[in-house]
Amino acid sequence: MRIERVEVRELALPLVHPFETSFGRTTGKEFLLVTAHADGLTGLGECVADRDPFYLPETNGTVWHVLEEFLVPLLLRLDLHHPREVLPALARVRGHEMAKAALEMAVWELWSRRDGVPLGRLLGGSKTQVEAGVSVGLQEDEATLLRKVEGEIAAGYRRLKVKIKPGRDVGLVRALRERFGGVPLMVDANSAYTLDDIARLRELDVFGLMMIEQPLAWDDVVDHAALQRELRTPICLDESVRSADDARHALDLGACGVINIKAGRVGGFLSSLAIHDLCRARGVPVWCGGMLESGIGRLANVHLQTLPGFSLPGDTSASARYFEEDLVDPPVTVSADGLIAVPTGPGIGHEVVWSRVERATRRRAGWTLG
Ligand code: OSB
Ligand code: MG
């Protein structure tokens, strides 16, 4: 298959509630949507970059630039026999995993539509439903956090993650344990700590957390390995794993006991599958992270989680937690017992409401073969 055309749009969608982490506060979702076109079909790839480089170095601006100048020209030259060929063909471009992922994922999605199968099937998955977990941002105060978490437990979510940062950590977790007992609970620091905080982080050990996500620097595995030696609680890496080699290095060093896979962070689905397979072979659990995606990226996450190694609930929760009106119809919903049904139609499996995409579009461009 030859990809005939690639389009990119920048979209803005208001968030129902602001989302706050140790690196900042988001009130609206601004992201790029890549589409790949061939044989009269359109494939979708939602990019996980943001306006700013506060989570990882890429931004909407760098992704647009690298797509236009380098990645799209490389892709349009290929005669593809399988979407697995895309990521290796882009390897001359170093880094820029979010840009590569958006393009690569659009080709996988297109391919699954062409074959008339759900995206998850093409990826090698077989689950018909996936377990939903939820990520709760930093709140104004402890009472607000407790109220939010209570609502999410009542909604059926099977695992709770709360954001922490220095000074808003041990006390919050203690309050959550006192109020909600032994619910499946974890924390995510988004790189807010250093090795100087070992004593503080060790205080978290008594709470039986499932894991502590990305306590140390976004580009570190060595310090995480030193920290893991001091902690009983498993460390989960997010930011620090941006390729299958990063994952292998982290596991070889003992830097973590769990990996959060976001296809958009690691260069796409091929790299996600490699990390999944590596972790499965070594008995390391993985789960699927989230980046406040619209229904398009959210459904891609649902499909990825149909693979067997995704043995823990991830961060994929209901569209309504984020958006008044999602870009897909129906939106992503979670059952009262915390499950998401995997769509059975071709591709992501829910209709894209193009009129809503148009309304949310701030700028667009397209590039054609030849
Ligand atoms: O670290 O997992 C993260 C959101 C934006 C950037 C980074 C992260 C997150 C989340 C939210 O935790 C996950 C979601 O609800 O999509
Ligand atoms: Mg994280």
Side-chain angles (χ1 to χ4, degrees):
M1 180 194 277
R2 281 189 168 269
I3 304 300
E4 296 150 16
R5 181 173 171 79
V6 173
E7 292 183 5
V8 60
R9 310 156 178 260
E10 186 173 279
L11 278 68
L13 286 177
L15 284 174
V16 181
H17 305 289
F19 190 80
E20 187 171 337
T21 68
S22 63
F23 63 78
R25 183 181 166 90
T26 314
T27 53
K29 172 78 182 160
E30 289 178 44
F31 65 102
L32 302 183
L33 178 65
V34 172
T35 54
H37 306 257
D39 305 339
L41 295 168
T42 297
L44 304 155
E46 178 169 335
C47 185
V48 300
D50 207 333
R51 309 176 34 102
D52 49 55
F54 302 157
Y55 164 74
L56 281 173
E58 291 179 86
T59 67
N60 293 339
T62 71
V63 169
W64 191 295
H65 163 67
V66 170
L67 282 171
E68 176 165 26
E69 297 294 329
F70 304 104
L71 299 177
V72 172
L74 282 170
L75 180 74
L76 291 178
R77 219 182 285 151
L78 302 176
D79 189 4
L80 295 168
H81 301 97
H82 195 277
R84 264 193 293 268
E85 295 162 7
V86 175
L87 187 62
L90 306 177
R92 188 177 181 194
V93 174
R94 295 180 176 172
H96 297 284
E97 293 82 8
M98 293 178 179
K100 289 174 179 174
L103 194 58
E104 195 248 19
M105 292 164 78
V107 175
W108 281 89
E109 212 269 338
L110 172 66
W111 211 276
S112 61
R113 286 175 190 263
R114 210 261 330 247
D115 289 355
V117 300
L119 176 59
R121 178 101 51 85
L122 182 64
L123 293 170
S126 59
K127 293 180 197 168
T128 57
Q129 50 189 19
V130 303
E131 293 190 291
V134 75
S135 175
V136 179
L138 287 161
Q139 304 296 319
E140 229 151 278
D141 49 45
E142 196 175 287
T144 312
L145 178 71
L146 292 173
R147 199 167 358 97
K148 280 250 170 193
V149 167
E150 184 168 37
E152 304 300 7
I153 293 171
Y157 287 104
R158 295 191 171 201
R159 183 226 66 189
L160 293 137
K161 160 169 140 182
V162 298
K163 295 290 189 178
I164 58 166
K165 67 178 186 181
R168 294 167 75 181
D169 41 34
V170 177
L172 281 186
V173 173
R174 183 178 298 117
L176 288 164
R177 278 293 184 231
E178 279 170 4
R179 177 77 167 272
F180 303 112
V183 296
L185 180 66
M186 60 172 289
V187 294
D188 186 359
N190 289 108
S191 300
Y193 297 86
T194 72
L195 280 184
D196 291 340
D197 301 309
I198 283 191
R200 189 80 184 161
L201 293 166
R202 284 185 71 154
E203 285 181 55
L204 291 172
D205 257 346
V206 301
F207 298 110
L209 297 172
M210 297 169 79
M211 66 196 92
I212 301 177
E213 186 175 345
Q214 196 71 33
L216 307 179
W218 66 275
D219 57 350
D220 166 80
V221 288
V222 174
D223 286 355
H224 278 101
L227 176 62
Q228 184 67 90
R229 287 192 286 275
E230 301 295 322
L231 292 181
R232 256 200 329 258
T233 311
I235 291 174
C236 170
L237 290 178
D238 175 354
E239 285 90 326
S240 292
V241 174
R242 296 180 303 282
S243 68
D245 280 334
D246 286 349
R248 182 172 52 81
H249 297 156
L251 297 184
D252 285 350
L253 276 172
C256 63
V258 184
I259 290 180
N260 164 339
I261 298 181
K262 294 174 182 169
R265 187 195 72 226
V266 301
F269 286 133
L270 182 75
S271 170
S272 301
L273 298 181
I275 296 169
H276 166 274
D277 294 351
L278 170 79
C279 289
R280 198 151 182 250
R282 298 203 190 179
V284 172
V286 301
W287 54 275
C288 182
M291 291 292 286
L292 317 178
E293 288 93 341
S294 85
I296 295 171
R298 192 167 299 277
L299 286 167
N301 290 339
V302 169
H303 285 283
L304 179 60
Q305 291 169 79
T306 62
L307 284 136
F310 287 85
S311 54
L312 296 169
D315 276 350
T316 313
S317 51
S319 297
R321 293 187 65 250
Y322 308 83
F323 309 106
E324 202 76 62
E325 191 179 68
D326 203 344
L327 301 179
V328 297
D329 186 37
V332 176
T333 56
V334 175
S335 71
D337 59 345
L339 295 169
I340 299 174
V342 179
T344 54
I348 58 171
H350 290 194
E351 288 301 322
V352 173
V353 185
W354 286 101
S355 58
R356 294 181 192 162
V357 173
E358 293 297 341
R359 226 179 310 134
T361 298
R362 296 293 171 265
R363 56 174 178 145
R364 62 190 292 180
W367 305 284
T368 304
L369 180 63

